[in-house]
Amino acid sequence: MYNPACRRINAAISTFLTMIKRLIKRVFGKTAPARTAGAAHVIPYEIHKVSRDGISYGARRVTDGLQAAGFKAFVVGGAVRDLLLDRQPKDFDVATDATPEEVKRVFRRARIIGRRFRLVHVMFGEETVEVSTFRRAIDAEDAETDEHGRILRDNEFGDQEQDAARRDFTANALFYDPSTQEIFDYHNGYADIRANTLRMIGDPEVRYREDPVRMLRAVRLSAKLGMKLDPSTAAPIARMKELLGNVPEARLFDEMLKLLLSGHALPCIRKLRAMELHHGMLPMLDVILEQPMGEKFVMLALQSTDQRIAEEKPASPAFLFAALLWHEVLAAWKSRQEAGERPVAAMHAAMDEVLDRQRAQLAIPRRYDTVMKELWLLQPRFEQRGGQRPFRLLALPRFRAAYDFLMLRCESGEVDAGLGAWWEEFQHAGDERRAEMLQPDSDAPKKRRRRSKKPAAAQAELPID
Ligand code: ATP
Ligand code: MG
């Protein structure tokens, strides 16, 4: 029943409560969490200021859909961390208490992926949201491990608190609920982010033993995000880095790729070197970085990749790997020629030798070989600036990438800058200027005779045979 007196009293109480809340906020500043839920601090929007508008359309549809069906659902991991750091997240992952089958039933376009640990991909136009069911870490004693303590299987479902505990860093273990705009924090990740600190959850030594890749993640994320490593998180790395040797090559490769394409490859590699972790990642990097010319070239290649990513241009892993290994190829090529092998044959053998040696350590997948070899094989052809050869080179689909590669070689001082300048001008010049630029084609008749015998062979173009 409507009672004006009651209404007035209610309004007065509500005004009073608001005043008290404001007073508390002023006295305790932004550090006081409003409430706790189980073991979690619940941080309200007023404190963290991450609005649901920062969440992608797909991730919001997924959390809304799951919550409407009666499940818990949160945006988790890197996305929450990045939003708190005022960075644009790469992607949005969702964690839920629904099983993969239950998730699939809620959405029209969803498929279950993965055999070891099943995830659901929910598709909204261009966007794919990865949804994982809360998982728990299995104690090293109960888990199946290798002889060094690396956990081989960790695919048990768990609850939200357990899901937070199995994550690596406190900053990566925050759960954001887009409908209430609250953050659930089980490990003080919010305070760590505000203090710009990356801290391992639990005992860092135990966590590195369970999964040595976490050492590389520590380096990558701290370099990429400009966060400092908490001393207890950083300390065990120096004495535990050998454990990286037991990680399957394919996993190391994935991590290496993430690092190189993070947009912060240069600071990442510097940090890896400072912590002497690069031995495990790319053993040849040791050798390469010790040659002054090699180091300069690799650093320039990393810098230009970072810049491409910053400009949202595509960055090709094959180009990067070709750059990382170039000075190895050069050295092998040179020594084979000195031993009397003919230049073209020596180049092919050098490429195979370097790729095989590298594959044994890092498992660069063979699918990159063709492009890497093409980039390497095209390099000597830039020296040929007479007759039809520059035109043929210019017409190749891979010209642009090979030219970018050449420019890095010029910049590093390995080849004369004049060569790069010539190609820069030639590719943009008109017909007349091109004709003027062409250099005398002294051995052309000999080459032409030979080419007519085997016209299709790419190596027939090499100047060095
Ligand atoms: P990025 O921005 O580079 O994607 P990320 O933290 O999101 O960084 P992902 O590899 O996408 O990294 O992993 C998503 C989340 O899964 C992490 O935030 C972390 O909570 C958890 N995670 C990933 N790898 C591990 C690991 N090796 N051990 C424990 N937790 C992990
Ligand atoms: Mg991520």
Side-chain angles (χ1 to χ4, degrees):
M1 226 211 274
Y2 180 70
N3 181 338
C6 266
R7 214 179 141 213
R8 267 198 304 278
I9 292 169
N10 280 343
I13 290 174
S14 145
T15 313
F16 180 67
L17 284 178
T18 311
M19 279 166 58
I20 296 274
K21 269 192 209 158
R22 282 205 195 120
L23 185 70
I24 290 174
K25 218 187 262 177
R26 214 171 300 149
V27 174
F28 293 103
K30 295 187 169 187
T31 51
R35 66 184 176 97
T36 54
H41 285 307
V42 183
I43 305 166
Y45 169 78
E46 290 71 26
I47 291 177
H48 61 67
K49 296 282 195 269
V50 172
S51 152
R52 78 179 103 235
D53 300 338
I55 306 298
S56 70
Y57 170 80
R60 276 169 60 181
R61 286 281 303 272
V62 170
T63 52
D64 286 351
L66 287 169
Q67 289 175 359
F71 299 107
K72 285 185 176 182
F74 302 91
V75 174
V76 280
V80 186
R81 175 200 70 210
D82 290 350
L83 288 169
L84 284 168
L85 290 169
D86 249 340
R87 290 166 159 268
Q88 180 56 40
K90 219 171 46 191
D91 41 37
F92 289 82
D93 297 333
V94 168
T96 175
D97 60 355
T99 62
E101 287 73 18
E102 285 169 333
V103 174
K104 193 169 183 303
R105 244 173 273 142
V106 176
F107 301 100
R108 211 163 43 87
R109 293 188 59 216
R111 61 192 161 100
I112 298 180
I113 58 147
R115 249 190 299 161
R116 197 175 72 91
F117 189 80
R118 292 178 317 136
L119 304 164
V120 187
H121 276 176
V122 185
M123 275 82 70
F124 296 95
E126 298 264 282
E127 189 184 356
T128 298
V129 180
E130 195 166 282
V131 186
S132 60
T133 305
F134 293 146
R135 271 194 266 175
R136 69 182 175 90
I138 308 174
D139 279 342
E141 283 138 44
D142 303 338
E144 195 187 321
T145 63
D146 71 6
E147 72 271 29
H148 306 281
R150 190 170 65 83
I151 292 187
L152 301 173
R153 276 159 41 89
D154 62 344
N155 52 356
E156 299 278 326
F157 292 147
D159 61 23
Q160 187 180 349
E161 186 178 341
Q162 290 167 328
D163 192 77
R166 63 111 187 150
R167 292 176 185 271
D168 46 8
F169 304 103
T170 62
N172 281 347
L174 298 169
F175 296 77
Y176 178 80
D177 182 343
S179 54
T180 61
Q181 303 191 106
E182 288 174 324
I183 287 177
F184 289 67
D185 182 1
Y186 291 85
H187 297 281
N188 276 325
Y190 181 74
D192 281 341
I193 288 184
R194 288 294 174 240
N196 217 25
T197 300
L198 207 55
R199 184 195 312 275
M200 184 64 75
I201 295 172
D203 178 347
E205 213 172 300
V206 173
R207 305 299 310 281
Y208 291 141
R209 197 169 293 286
E210 288 169 357
D211 182 7
V213 167
R214 289 175 184 148
M215 294 188 261
L216 299 175
R217 287 179 57 84
V219 172
R220 171 168 66 86
L221 290 174
S222 72
K224 167 176 154 178
L225 303 168
M227 291 173 88
K228 57 183 182 296
L229 282 177
D230 175 66
S232 64
T233 299
I237 294 180
R239 59 176 186 277
M240 298 187 77
K241 58 179 187 245
E242 307 303 332
L243 291 178
L244 279 170
N246 314 315
V247 175
E249 288 155 11
R251 179 120 195 266
L252 269 191
F253 177 80
D254 286 348
E255 194 54 37
M256 180 77 180
L257 208 53
K258 271 194 179 180
L259 192 148
L260 293 175
L261 300 178
S262 66
H264 300 80
L266 196 57
C268 281
I269 293 280
R270 288 216 175 102
K271 198 145 188 173
L272 279 181
R273 286 179 80 190
M275 301 185 83
E276 296 192 3
L277 274 175
H278 58 299
H279 301 283
M281 288 295 276
L282 191 63
M284 265 182 207
L285 214 52
D286 280 350
V287 187
I288 301 163
L289 296 177
E290 271 151 30
Q291 314 159 357
M293 202 78 99
E295 155 150 27
K296 191 145 186 236
F297 181 72
V298 166
M299 292 301 170
L300 283 169
L302 295 175
Q303 199 178 0
S304 93
T305 307
D306 287 348
Q307 199 176 334
R308 287 184 73 87
I309 292 171
E311 291 165 5
E312 298 188 4
K313 291 186 189 159
S316 127
F319 184 94
L320 205 48
F321 285 117
L324 290 178
L325 299 178
W326 171 241
H327 276 259
E328 282 295 299
V329 173
L330 271 184
W333 187 31
K334 188 162 166 260
S335 71
R336 282 173 179 275
Q337 288 183 87
E338 280 166 5
E341 283 183 43
R342 289 167 68 80
V344 172
M347 176 57 118
H348 281 275
M351 294 191 305
D352 287 334
E353 179 191 319
V354 169
L355 285 174
D356 285 347
R357 210 184 318 154
Q358 187 57 45
R359 206 166 349 254
Q361 290 148 329
L362 191 71
I364 295 178
R366 286 182 193 277
R367 65 176 179 279
Y368 297 122
D369 282 11
T370 319
V371 179
M372 286 164 73
K373 285 184 172 178
E374 216 176 326
L375 285 171
W376 291 334
L377 273 171
L378 290 177
Q379 294 309 305
R381 288 180 54 179
F382 282 102
E383 310 277 349
Q384 297 187 308
R385 286 174 281 169
Q388 283 304 303
R389 294 191 199 105
F391 295 97
R392 280 199 289 270
L393 188 52
L394 210 52
L396 292 179
R398 201 71 70 193
F399 171 80
R400 185 72 220 180
Y403 166 76
D404 288 346
F405 200 94
L406 173 73
M407 293 314 267
L408 288 176
R409 294 173 62 212
C410 292
E411 224 180 306
S412 72
E414 181 217 320
V415 288
D416 180 31
L419 183 63
W422 191 93
W423 278 99
E424 166 73 43
E425 186 180 354
F426 187 78
Q427 62 182 302
H428 298 115
D431 291 345
E432 246 176 71
R433 177 67 190 133
R434 280 185 177 175
E436 280 166 21
M437 288 179 75
L438 287 178
Q439 294 181 351
D441 195 13
S442 53
D443 60 350
K446 198 174 82 203
K447 289 270 171 187
R448 230 169 267 137
R449 262 201 314 279
R450 194 139 38 91
R451 229 182 3 258
S452 66
K453 275 190 213 152
K454 39 175 193 172
Q459 59 267 47
E461 296 284 350
L462 280 170
I464 42 183
D465 198 10

